[in-house]
Amino acid sequence: MNCIIIDDEEMARAIIAQMIANHKELTLVQDFSNAMQAIKFLNQNEVDLIFLDIHMPDFTGFDFIQTIKNPPKIVLVTSDKNFAIEAFEYDCIVDYLVKPITEERFQRAIQKANVAQISASKAPSEKLLKKIIPMNFT
């Protein structure tokens, strides 16, 4: 899975990048210190997974999610436990990691992202659904 990191803390980006490097199924494409840079990148590139901080200056992680059309799978990474319930109101969020992140907890998040990606790829297309389920209710 191609992934990016969005976090205003340089040390947090470095730690997550190292954890990504320890997982051969992940490829870190780029990391960003702010959401605006990431939005520009995503307008021209696709990724499978985003590691996203919630608390960033000027633009929160939730603001970022609401700005992106068809966001990829997202793992929120934050030091604040208070947004966990709100986070799962977004279909794109597959997990919520609280800093400091352990390797074991990171691994579980990756497993959830893998399952979410497989499920999404097996979902029937809209065109197929129209063939299976006619939309005439008259």
Side-chain angles (χ1 to χ4, degrees), residues 92-108:
C92 59
I93 297 175
V94 295
D95 210 345
Y96 190 98
L97 298 177
V98 179
K99 298 173 187 175
I101 307 163
T102 65
E103 180 60 39
E104 178 182 324
R105 188 63 187 86
F106 186 83
Q107 176 65 36
R108 286 198 340 243

Side-chain angles (χ1 to χ4, degrees), residues 32-47:
F32 301 92
S33 61
N34 70 65
M36 295 308 292
Q37 293 171 335
I39 289 169
K40 290 177 186 174
F41 176 84
L42 291 171
N43 284 336
Q44 298 177 359
N45 302 277
E46 287 189 27
V47 297

Side-chain angles (χ1 to χ4, degrees), residues 113-132:
N114 280 327
V115 168
Q117 185 176 21
I118 291 168
S119 296
S121 68
K122 289 184 178 179
S125 70
E126 187 176 325
K127 196 175 194 179
L128 177 62
L129 284 175
K130 285 182 180 178
K131 285 182 181 179
I132 297 170

Side-chain angles (χ1 to χ4, degrees), residues 3-4 6 42 47-52 64 72-75:
C3 55
I4 62 172
I6 308 169
L42 291 171
V47 297
D48 303 304
L49 182 62
I50 298 174
F51 293 91
L52 176 64
F64 171 82
K73 300 303 174 200
I74 295 174
V75 173

Side-chain angles (χ1 to χ4, degrees), residues 9-47:
E9 296 177 35
E10 185 175 347
M11 182 60 75
R13 289 193 313 274
I15 291 168
I16 297 167
Q18 183 58 52
M19 290 181 158
I20 290 169
N22 293 337
H23 293 269
K24 62 183 177 222
E25 71 271 27
L26 298 178
T27 302
L28 179 59
V29 178
Q30 197 154 349
D31 67 79
F32 301 92
S33 61
N34 70 65
M36 295 308 292
Q37 293 171 335
I39 289 169
K40 290 177 186 174
F41 176 84
L42 291 171
N43 284 336
Q44 298 177 359
N45 302 277
E46 287 189 27
V47 297

